[in-house]
Each structure stands twice: as C-alpha cells, then as structure tokens.
Amino acid sequence: MELKERILACASVCAVSSKEQPVAHYLMEELSKMGVSSYLDASGNLHSEILGNPQGKTILLEAHMDQIGLMVSGIDQNGYLKFVGVGGIDERMLCGLEVLVDGRYSGVILPTQKEKTPKIEDLRMDVGLSFEEAKAQIPIGATATMRSCPKLLLGDKISGPAMDNRAGIAAVLDCVERIKEKKIPYGIKFLFSVGEELGLQGGYSGTESGMADGAIVVDVTHGATPDAKDEVGVFPLGCGAVICRGPNLHHSYTKQLIALAQEKQIPYEIEVAAGHSGTTAWAIQTAGTGIPTMLVSIPLRYMHSNLETLALKDVQAVSNLLYEALMGGITLAE
Amino acid sequence: MLNELEKRNGVTGLETPVADLIKQNLPDFCQDAMGNLIVKKHGKNSSKKLLLAVHMDEPGVIVTQITEEGYLKFDIVGRLKPELLAFRRVDIHGISGVIALKAVHLTKKEERETPIKTENLYIDIGASTKAEAESYITVGDYGAIESEPFSMGGDLQKGKAWGSRVGCMLAMDLLKEDLPVDMEVVFATQRELGGRGLQTAAFQSEADTAIILDGVPADEDENAPKCGKGGVWVIPLGGAQLPKTIEEQAKPLQVYVAEKKGPEIALIKSKTIRRTVCLGVPVRYSKTPVEVVSKQDIDAVKRLLKICIQEYAKEGIK
C-alpha cells in the first residue's frame, strides 16, 4: 500500500484511548496480510511474532494506537450529551465541533460560549435525540471521535484527526512491508500500545523485563506554525525524522541513529528532552531491568486538535530510518 | 436539489457557483449589476404583483495577505464570529485550507484565556513559501467555510447556509408551478452585508408586496422558534401581526419577533413595495458553521409560502 493511503486508512479507524479494539483488529488484519501474526494481551496491547533473525538481538518497535477523544458522561433534559475529554484534547476546538458518538450518532458540540476557552463541563453535544431517545440509545461511557475526514493540502500535506499517532503506525507498517522479505540481522517485534494518551498505559502493561535488547518508539512532535516557529522544540514540516536526545533515550544508540540518517541522506532534525520525552519511551526505558530506547518522531502541526497536519515526506523519512536501522544500520552492544 | 445547492459555495461577493446552478434550472431570468437573478413570471391575475426574495450568499472569509512562509491572513465577510472559525477548514476555489492556532501544548495560560481575534488566525494551505502559495491563491480570493452535511437524529440535517439554500430551493420549486398572480422572484446577493442585492433588485420592482424567505435562529431560548415545530412568521420591529386566515391554514406555525434588523430594511428604497412579509425556516446554531435544520420544517415553510401567496391573490395581506 502507498504510504499516503496507509496514513489515511489508519487515521480513519475510530479508537479512542480505553476503546482501542477497532484499531487493534484493523492492525491484526493488516499485519496478517503481510504474513505477520499477532496477538492481544490482557490489556489490549497488540504484539507481533518475532520476525527476521530469532537468534539475533531483538529490537522492539513501538507505536501507540490510541487517539484522543471524548466520552459521554451524562444526558441533560434536552437530550444533549454531557462529556469529558479523553487524553489531552485541545479544548479550543470544541465549540461547533462535529462528532461521531459510539461510532453511530453524528452530531455537533453546541457552538455557544466561544468567547474564551470554554469549560468542558458547560459544553454539550447535540445528536438530534430527545431525552428519552438518548437515554435509551446512548450508553454513559460511550466514546466520541472528531467527525472529520482527513484532507490533502498542498505540498503532499495531510490534515485531519488522529494523525497522532496513526501516522506513526503507518510509518511502522510501511517499514514492515519493506523489511519482511529481507534478511535482517535482528529479531524484530512490534508493540502497538493502548492508552498512551492516558499516561503511557500500554508502555507499562505491554512491556516486560528482557523482552528486547533495544527499542525504537515512533510518535509525533510539534510542527512549526506562524505563531510558533522560532521556539525550541518546534520543527518545520518537511524537515524529516525528528530524533530525540536526552536522559530518557540511550545515548550511544541514538548517536548511531543520527549518523545513520546522515550516511543514508535521510532528512532529520534533533530534538531534546531534558527529562520525560512525553512518549512511551519513558515507560519502556525502565521496563523490568531496563530496555535501551530510541525515539523518532513525525513533526505535526496543531497537535491534539481535529486538524493535525503533517508532511508525507516526514513520515517517509521515519519509515526509511527505521528500515535502515533494522537492516543493520545500528549495532547493539554485547 | 437541496443537496446540490449545499455542495456549492457562495460567499458574499462571489455568489457565482450558487447562481450558476440556479440559472441552469430557470426558464428565463435576467442578472443585474449586483449579480441578483431576477425572474418575472405571469400569473392568473396580472393586476397584482408580488415579489419573493431569497438570498444566494453565505458568510465566509477573504484573503488579505500571503505571508513569507505561505500562510494566508484573512478577513471575515458577513456575519461570523472569529472564535467559530478556529479549527475549521476553508475551501478557496478548490484549495483546502485549515484555520488554526499553534498546538495547545505550546500555549501559555494567558494566551488560552484571551478571546480569539481574526488577526491571530491564519489559513494553512500546506504551502511552504509565499511563491508556492501565490501560484494557487491571489489576495482578495474568497474562502467558503467547509461544513460536511450529515443527518442527525430525527429528521435533522446538519450543514451550512440553510437559510439561503432552503430559500433558493423553495423559490426554484415555486417557479415550476402555475401562479395565481404575477410574481417577481429575486435570488439576491449580499444579504450578509445588509441586503445590498435585494436593495437594487427592489428598486426596479413594480410589486406592491414582498415576501422575504430566510433562516430564523431556533432553539436559542424558550421563546425562540424550535426545530420541528413548523415554519415561522417573522415580525420585524414595526411589522404586522399574523393574519388569522393564514394562521388557521398554515399549522404547524410559529411566530417570532425579530429584534435585530433583517433584510426587510433593504426594501425601504423600493418605489412601490408597501407591505413586507417575512417567513423563516427554523435554523439551530444559525450563523455558525454547523447549522441544523429539520426536513419537516422545510415542508411546512413550503406550504406557508403557498398559503401566503394565495392570501395575497385573494385579499392582499393585511
């Protein structure tokens, strides 16, 4: 599958943190089409079999499969739904946002109270049902996603909900597709984790001591916009794969990754995390006796909104870097 | 036809895409200097002349500047609040853009608490340089706010510009039928700027009575019209009560007193129009990108319009 198509396909599956089954099943099928078998653990994380060289050192490729969203917490007398945010949603987008509740009911969040950032508890969703109908048909705890189709912008850019982290997942799948027929020195294992947006849940529940000799986490980072361009930690779209350095990441493996990007002329930038990298790398690095971790991210504008925007070129760069690393471009120490 | 009209963009100042669709479905028409489409059709009784006005335009944005990095600055055309534009898509003659602000993680508390102003917003079309953007967009181009139409519970439909599109559809339907009196149907431009199209169309009119058909804000409070409860007889300040004859025939029917000035003020310049009737279709979240309308209300307004025309034909509307 073409990478662009893959990104669009992955982003169109609705799976909010705590209800990841739809995307887990989608990924099981996609992996199966590539001849890779996978299984779900008790927490809902998706693990693959080990590909490549089972005698070699193991590298774990991880990407979280949940997306931020909303959850119905009550129904008021008008049949409007009260709700809470799941994950760090951008509250400024809420008024007037089109939503899809429980995968079935289309509606809008009432476009009132827009003067300043609204309090979520004061907002309501209108799905066109009366109080009785809503009580009968919509379970409390139903999740809602942002009902927008991804759109293509100029310069091979894609804008839509759930690019965090379906773009990361697409990069991983793209790499798997290219690598599965090749002879690789490593044993490769995939982990698509749940609940990252709720506190790296799958990063903790899906990893165990000694499961790999090294891990590469794929996620997103901030893309530059007119109101955020010269700040540290913001990267222009088109700059390539963003490699993270800092105490959360393995110092020398990360240096190798950077050298590999230079050698293979894969566009890249370096970001710095002085502490928590803000990703599952924080959980994986200290799993059991510890797993040396690397982090590669895709620059993304408007993160945690309904219009997350990225450049296809950057997703391709990440896939290329993963491919080169897994083909033996980095060496894990004895 | 309503779906076809919904797909078209017609931002105030460039109503052409909507006008073109309407033209294809009119037997005969003329287009004046403001872009209004005017159709004159004879009816049974030629001594009476009635004007029906609907509007083709919707609020939107207009590009005011292209930045060095290829983003677009814009101004709002018509009645839309800037806060409602943040995190929405626009369509500039086929080019998709997103109106956004930097990611929430990068904001400070004071920034999040400040009301959003148009000058803080920008449109991202994916261009990396000014030159790239300029090869697709020119300063002064219009952008329509994207709002994907979909069905909600009951017979509710979510979309944009319902007041305009429903009005245009009902006017087009009316022209297919035999009329009891001579009618002049005006598909007006620039309602969003105070009815400037209607003003010039009315100036040349010989009608003595006008019916204006538009959307009316619904469900805003207990006294406002409600979706699903029928068409609306709108009483502008200084306007007339609902005649009993119409009230009896047109159930379900709602009445609404409009505190804000509406398009009827454009008719003041008319030489002959002495009487104005304002009819409305209830629109929830009116003048936002996510308007909601009820199908049964559209049918109710269609009947209400016919009844008003028949009453005019018989007695004139008191």
Side-chain angles (χ1 to χ4, degrees):
Chain A
M1 201 191 279
E2 288 279 325
L3 183 56
K4 188 192 287 186
E5 224 192 297
R6 212 177 253 303
I7 297 170
L8 296 173
C10 289
S12 65
V13 181
C14 296
V16 174
S17 311
S18 78
K19 296 226 166 80
E20 292 90 347
Q21 295 91 331
V23 71
H25 287 119
Y26 170 75
L27 292 173
M28 279 184 100
E29 252 192 66
E30 288 302 301
L31 287 171
S32 156
K33 284 182 200 163
M34 295 183 212
V36 179
S37 68
S38 57
Y39 63 92
L40 289 167
D41 68 20
S43 303
N45 298 302
L46 185 64
H47 301 256
S48 73
E49 57 170 305
I50 298 187
L51 301 183
N53 180 6
Q55 272 81 50
K57 289 191 177 286
T58 318
I59 295 187
L60 176 71
L61 269 194
E62 187 273 346
H64 75 88
M65 57 180 175
D66 57 316
Q67 72 192 93
I68 53 163
L70 306 169
M71 184 178 279
V72 176
S73 58
I75 301 172
D76 78 8
Q77 290 306 313
N78 298 316
Y80 294 152
L81 313 177
K82 298 185 207 178
F83 59 93
V84 295
V86 178
I89 54 165
D90 186 342
E91 293 172 346
R92 302 167 304 173
M93 68 174 170
L94 292 177
C95 288
L97 185 68
E98 291 98 330
V99 292
L100 184 64
V101 180
D102 213 23
R104 288 178 293 159
Y105 300 95
S106 294
V108 298
I109 296 178
L110 271 60
T112 49
Q113 205 187 335
K114 207 52 183 227
E115 286 79 31
K116 49 177 194 248
T117 308
K119 291 215 184 82
I120 279 198
E121 52 260 34
D122 297 330
L123 297 178
R124 300 285 180 268
M125 289 180 195
D126 177 3
V127 290
L129 299 178
S130 67
F131 172 71
E132 293 76 24
E133 289 167 335
K135 262 246 172 298
Q137 297 173 44
I138 306 210
I140 305 296
T143 52
T145 48
M146 301 172 266
R147 195 190 187 288
S148 282
C149 298
K151 264 276 160 73
L152 299 176
L153 305 181
L154 298 178
D156 252 346
K157 298 201 176 56
I158 306 176
S159 172
M163 291 299 148
D164 174 7
N165 185 26
R166 303 296 162 70
I169 298 225
V172 171
L173 290 178
D174 189 65
C175 172
V176 177
E177 214 169 13
R178 292 151 70 192
I179 215 157
K180 66 183 168 65
E181 303 306 328
K182 303 272 192 324
K183 221 166 173 291
I184 45 183
Y186 295 112
I188 317 284
K189 197 171 157 40
F190 305 104
L191 168 61
F192 294 121
S193 66
V194 301
E196 187 273 346
E197 303 290 358
L198 297 176
L200 320 179
Q201 289 175 353
Y204 290 110
S205 60
T207 50
E208 49 189 2
S209 198
M211 81 188 289
D213 300 293
I216 307 180
V217 171
V218 183
D219 208 326
V220 296
T221 186
H222 292 291
T225 55
D227 42 3
K229 48 182 174 164
D230 299 317
E231 290 143 54
V232 178
V234 169
F235 301 91
L237 296 199
C239 71
V242 180
I243 304 170
C244 190
R245 300 186 79 197
N248 187 187
L249 296 322
H250 193 272
H251 187 72
S252 59
Y253 290 173
T254 301
K255 269 182 110 165
Q256 286 189 51
L257 207 54
I258 294 168
L260 183 61
Q262 288 165 347
E263 185 205 338
K264 300 290 178 185
Q265 298 185 318
I266 297 172
Y268 76 96
E269 285 287 339
I270 299 175
E271 76 172 328
V272 172
H276 196 320
S277 62
T279 68
T280 43
W282 187 251
I284 295 171
Q285 187 187 32
T286 53
T289 50
I291 302 175
T293 309
M294 291 157 272
L295 170 61
V296 182
S297 302
I298 299 161
L300 187 69
R301 288 178 188 155
Y302 326 123
M303 197 187 291
H304 287 188
S305 77
N306 55 320
L307 297 172
E308 296 180 328
T309 300
L310 50 72
L312 184 61
K313 183 177 177 202
D314 297 333
V315 188
Q316 189 65 68
V318 169
S319 171
N320 293 347
L321 186 57
L322 292 175
Y323 174 83
E324 295 297 342
L326 298 176
M327 287 294 283
I330 58 172
T331 311
L332 302 184
E334 287 312 309
Chain B
M1 174 49 66
L2 191 57
N3 291 337
E4 287 306 309
L5 285 166
E6 261 294 282
K7 284 185 199 155
R8 299 270 174 140
N9 295 326
V11 176
T12 306
L14 190 70
E15 295 87 345
T16 319
V18 176
D20 284 346
L21 177 61
I22 296 174
K23 278 182 197 175
Q24 289 164 26
N25 290 278
L26 295 178
D28 208 5
F29 63 89
C30 64
Q31 190 160 28
D32 70 6
M34 284 294 288
N36 298 311
L37 296 179
I38 303 172
V39 183
K40 296 191 188 187
K41 183 167 175 168
H42 283 300
K44 242 170 123 187
N45 181 352
S46 276
S47 66
K48 301 188 98 167
K49 285 187 176 23
L50 180 60
L51 180 129
L52 170 65
V54 294
H55 70 98
M56 300 189 285
D57 62 316
E58 66 197 75
V61 300
I62 187 167
V63 177
T64 52
Q65 188 191 39
I66 302 177
T67 72
E68 285 308 315
E69 289 117 349
Y71 291 86
L72 313 176
K73 301 294 282 179
F74 63 91
D75 227 335
I76 297 177
V77 181
R79 301 170 297 161
L80 262 186
K81 298 206 184 107
E83 315 86 76
L84 292 172
L85 294 183
F87 301 103
R88 295 229 55 108
R89 283 207 188 102
V90 288
D91 174 356
I92 306 172
H93 52 75
I95 306 286
S96 246
V98 305
I99 301 182
L101 297 166
K102 64 182 168 180
V104 65
H105 320 60
L106 304 172
T107 58
K108 300 196 188 59
K109 190 158 183 257
E110 314 84 70
E111 286 172 311
R112 288 195 295 276
E113 312 236 298
T114 319
I116 294 172
K117 294 205 191 73
T118 312
E119 51 258 33
N120 303 127
L121 296 170
Y122 49 84
I123 299 173
D124 179 356
I125 54 170
S128 312
T129 61
K130 186 176 187 185
E132 191 187 350
E134 281 173 339
S135 61
Y136 294 91
I137 309 282
T138 308
V139 166
D141 280 350
Y142 291 90
I145 312 300
E146 275 192 29
S147 178
E148 195 205 329
F150 56 70
S151 303
M152 288 165 49
D155 68 347
L156 296 176
Q157 298 295 307
K158 172 266 186 191
K160 60 161 182 164
W162 287 125
S164 157
R165 304 304 191 262
V166 169
C168 289
M169 180 192 73
L170 294 182
M172 286 158 80
D173 283 350
L174 187 72
L175 285 169
K176 295 192 184 115
E177 303 188 6
D178 293 326
L179 304 171
V181 292
D182 280 6
M183 282 195 70
E184 197 175 326
V185 178
V186 175
F187 297 88
T189 60
Q190 306 211 13
R191 183 258 180 273
E192 287 293 315
L193 288 179
R196 291 168 66 74
L198 181 54
Q199 179 180 325
T200 57
F203 192 79
Q204 56 82 52
S205 173
E206 294 167 326
D208 58 69
T209 300
I211 299 178
I212 301 181
L213 185 46
D214 200 349
V216 162
D219 296 306
E220 288 191 338
D221 54 53
E222 310 88 63
N223 302 316
K226 295 183 178 11
C227 277
K229 300 281 187 213
V232 186
W233 176 274
V234 182
I235 303 176
L237 291 177
Q241 306 272 44
L242 171 62
K244 274 267 179 274
T245 46
I246 292 178
E247 187 178 2
E248 275 150 24
Q249 296 173 64
K251 292 196 174 89
L253 182 59
Q254 312 184 63
V255 182
Y256 171 65
V257 173
E259 289 173 83
K260 295 199 189 121
K261 293 198 189 115
E264 65 283 353
I265 55 165
L267 298 175
I268 291 173
K269 290 274 181 356
S270 160
K271 296 185 297 240
T272 55
I273 296 172
R274 289 291 161 263
R275 193 107 183 66
T276 306
V277 168
C278 297
L279 303 178
V281 60
V283 177
R284 222 182 251 181
Y285 321 127
S286 177
K287 291 300 142 255
T288 75
V290 290
E291 293 187 344
V292 172
V293 77
S294 155
K295 279 194 190 144
Q296 57 185 316
D297 287 345
I298 297 176
D299 291 336
V301 175
K302 187 170 183 169
R303 273 183 291 113
L304 175 59
L305 178 61
K306 280 229 180 82
I307 290 165
C308 289
I309 295 172
Q310 277 154 13
E311 277 305 299
Y312 170 77
K314 283 193 297 198
E315 306 274 333
I317 302 180
K318 309 274 180 294

